[in-house]
Amino acid sequence: MRNNPRDNLLGLHRQHVKAWEQKNLEQLREIYAQDAVIFNMVPPPRFSDFKTFENTAQQYLSRFNELTFFTSNIQIEIRGDVAWITSLYLMAYHSEGQLHRHSGRWTEVYSRVNGYWRLNHLHSSPDPVDTPHP
C-alpha cells in the first residue's frame, strides 16, 4: 500500500471523530499538537493550547450519555506540509433524560512535522437556528 497523504489524513479525521464520540481524551491528545488553537462550542469558545482545552473538555463531555458523532461531505486539501479538512457534523446525545441533536461545520488544519500530521487548529460551529421569516 502506498503512503498516500490524503488517505492518511482521512484516517486521522476518522480517528478524531471516533475519539470525540468515545470521549477519549487520550486519543485526542495523540492527534492534537500541544500548541493547537481550538475554536469550539465547548465554553469558552477559544483555547490557545491543548492542555487548557483538555481540562475543560473533560468536564463538558462528562455531561453526555450515549454520544453519537458523524461527519459527512468530507473535503481534504493539501498544500505541501499543511492540510485542511472540512466537513459537516451531526452530534446526538442524551443529557438529563432528553435527546439533543446538533449539526454544524467542522474544520481541521494539520501540519506535517518529521513525516507525521498533527492537528494545529480545530474550528467547529453549530448551524444557525432557522428563524421564521415574516
Side-chain angles (χ1 to χ4, degrees), residues 4-53:
N4 182 329
R6 202 170 287 283
D7 288 344
N8 292 340
L9 287 160
L10 180 58
L12 272 173
H13 171 78
R14 289 180 174 152
Q15 288 175 9
H16 189 203
V17 170
K18 184 176 181 180
W20 273 102
E21 184 175 49
Q22 294 178 346
K23 302 185 273 186
N24 186 336
L25 294 171
E26 184 176 321
Q27 181 68 37
L28 289 174
R29 193 178 312 116
E30 292 176 12
I31 296 169
Y32 285 70
Q34 289 302 308
D35 58 351
V37 176
I38 303 162
F39 289 93
N40 204 322
M41 21 184 234
V42 178
R46 181 187 188 277
F47 298 89
S48 58
D49 61 76
F50 183 77
K51 186 64 177 166
T52 305
F53 173 74

Side-chain angles (χ1 to χ4, degrees), residues 78-95:
I78 303 170
R79 300 290 187 269
D81 288 332
V82 175
W84 56 97
I85 302 172
T86 59
S87 61
L88 304 176
Y89 73 81
L90 175 61
M91 179 173 74
Y93 59 91
H94 286 90
S95 179

Side-chain angles (χ1 to χ4, degrees), residues 119-131:
L119 185 67
N120 287 315
H121 179 77
L122 169 68
H123 185 134
S124 70
S125 56
D127 284 333
V129 176
D130 289 338
T131 55

Side-chain angles (χ1 to χ4, degrees), residues 47-120:
F47 298 89
S48 58
D49 61 76
F50 183 77
K51 186 64 177 166
T52 305
F53 173 74
E54 182 177 33
N55 292 336
T56 304
Q58 190 170 25
Q59 294 173 344
Y60 177 76
L61 291 171
S62 70
R63 302 180 331 181
F64 302 146
N65 295 324
E66 302 176 36
L67 177 65
T68 304
F69 195 79
F70 296 103
T71 58
S72 62
N73 197 29
I74 301 164
Q75 305 291 316
I76 300 172
E77 295 292 332
I78 303 170
R79 300 290 187 269
D81 288 332
V82 175
W84 56 97
I85 302 172
T86 59
S87 61
L88 304 176
Y89 73 81
L90 175 61
M91 179 173 74
Y93 59 91
H94 286 90
S95 179
E96 299 177 6
Q98 296 208 357
L99 175 64
H100 301 270
R101 290 186 179 140
H102 298 282
S103 60
R105 278 112 176 86
W106 168 284
T107 302
E108 301 158 277
V109 178
Y110 289 87
S111 64
R112 186 171 35 200
V113 178
N114 297 325
Y116 296 97
W117 292 103
R118 292 290 176 249
L119 185 67
N120 287 315

